[in-house]
Amino acid sequence: MQQSLMENSKLITTSNPDSPIAEAYRSLRTNIQFSSIDVPVKTLMVTSCQSGDGKTTTIANLAVAFSQEGKRVLLVDADLRRPTLHTVFMLSNQTGLTNVLANQMDWEDAVHSTSVDNLFFIGSGPTPPNPSEMLGSKRMNQLIEELSAHYDMILFDAPPSLVVTDGLVLASKCDGVVAVISVGMTKRQQAKKLYASLEHVKAKLLGVVLNNKKKKSKDQLYYTYYGTNRRM
């Protein structure tokens, strides 16, 4: 599994850590760390407007970047409807977050080790009939508090926030949110609607990742990061 994960094309931070793309993810990590000096970001949610924007690849590589810094990192798949994060790390998704929220198992038993040092993972678990209610529950608040006592950084992969309300429910519980927007796919009006939706639930939008943004130079970075001082 170690060799397979190192060769995973989606995890450029492990397969090619010296590449410009991997360096860009480390720059994103640094931008997040400096986005809030007085209250450090410990719980972070990554979302997008729609499926296919690249949020799962972004959060997976960002989690690796944080772990490479020596932080104890927990990556949680909070996309309870169409989970894919477990496939990136080639781990089981038979049990996970939904089992913990339903009090069917302790969170410690839902945690998987990964082949990346300092990086741990909780899958989404079985698809529930009420994803938004589960993420908005008091048990979810309690779980975030418990996890925060054991990990330096907790990252939540949320569903696209213009498709379902799950991500917006979770966004209000996290220290910060990063939105991933795919150049050529996401319409400007969709981006504005996402910004307004996050603002409505009083989520702290740290910045926006423009995914698949082409550069004029031959070295094309995977994304560009913009802080929230740039209005959508």
Side-chain angles (χ1 to χ4, degrees):
M1 180 177 292
Q2 176 74 30
Q3 184 66 22
S4 297
L5 186 59
M6 292 293 288
E7 294 175 352
N8 189 332
S9 60
K10 290 186 177 181
L11 282 180
I12 193 70
T13 42
T14 61
S15 62
N16 193 2
D18 297 325
S19 67
I21 298 176
E23 179 58 32
Y25 280 116
R26 290 190 287 270
S27 296
L28 174 59
R29 175 194 66 195
T30 302
N31 287 332
I32 291 170
Q33 290 172 326
F34 281 93
S35 64
S36 182
I37 302 299
D38 294 333
V39 182
V41 175
K42 189 166 188 177
T43 55
L44 178 72
M45 190 191 87
V46 176
T47 188
S48 63
C49 292
Q50 58 198 353
S51 299
D53 285 339
K55 68 175 178 62
T56 296
T57 299
T58 298
I59 196 172
N61 282 280
L62 182 58
V64 172
F66 274 113
S67 66
Q68 288 173 338
E69 196 180 42
K71 293 184 182 297
R72 184 175 167 86
V73 180
L74 178 65
L75 184 56
V76 182
D77 194 342
D79 190 339
L80 305 185
R81 300 173 192 263
R82 297 182 62 184
T84 58
L85 197 52
H86 64 284
T87 63
V88 177
F89 292 90
M90 291 168 284
L91 295 170
S92 171
N93 195 45
Q94 290 185 346
T95 58
L97 180 59
T98 55
N99 300 100
V100 176
L101 295 178
N103 295 312
Q104 297 172 345
M105 65 188 304
D106 296 331
W107 68 262
E108 294 91 341
D109 297 326
V111 175
H112 296 271
S113 297
T114 72
S115 298
V116 179
D117 291 341
N118 303 315
L119 180 57
F120 302 87
F121 174 74
I122 294 181
S124 67
T127 302
N130 55 343
S132 294
E133 287 80 1
M134 295 194 82
L135 293 176
S137 65
K138 292 181 179 179
R139 177 65 186 116
M140 186 65 190
N141 293 343
Q142 181 185 16
L143 177 61
I144 292 175
E145 185 176 344
E146 292 171 359
L147 295 175
S148 297
H150 290 81
Y151 297 93
D152 300 316
M153 194 76 189
I154 305 166
L155 291 85
F156 295 95
D157 184 16
S161 292
L162 293 188
V163 178
V164 292
T165 61
D166 307 5
L168 297 176
V169 170
L170 182 58
S172 62
K173 301 178 184 292
C174 294
D175 298 330
V177 176
V178 169
V180 178
I181 292 176
S182 181
V183 175
M185 284 184 58
T186 307
K187 293 180 173 58
R188 185 177 182 85
Q189 195 61 33
Q190 290 176 311
K192 287 183 175 181
K193 185 176 180 181
L194 175 61
Y195 182 89
S197 298
L198 291 170
E199 196 172 48
H200 179 71
V201 298
K202 296 180 171 57
K204 185 176 182 180
L205 182 61
L206 302 180
V208 176
V209 171
L210 292 186
N211 196 15
N212 295 323
K213 183 179 185 297
K214 294 183 179 180
K215 293 179 69 70
K216 292 181 180 179
S217 63
K218 63 180 180 180
D219 293 328
Q220 295 183 355
L221 294 185
Y222 192 69
Y223 65 78
T224 299
Y225 176 85
Y226 292 89
T228 53
N229 59 325
R230 295 187 178 227
R231 302 287 295 185
M232 287 187 180

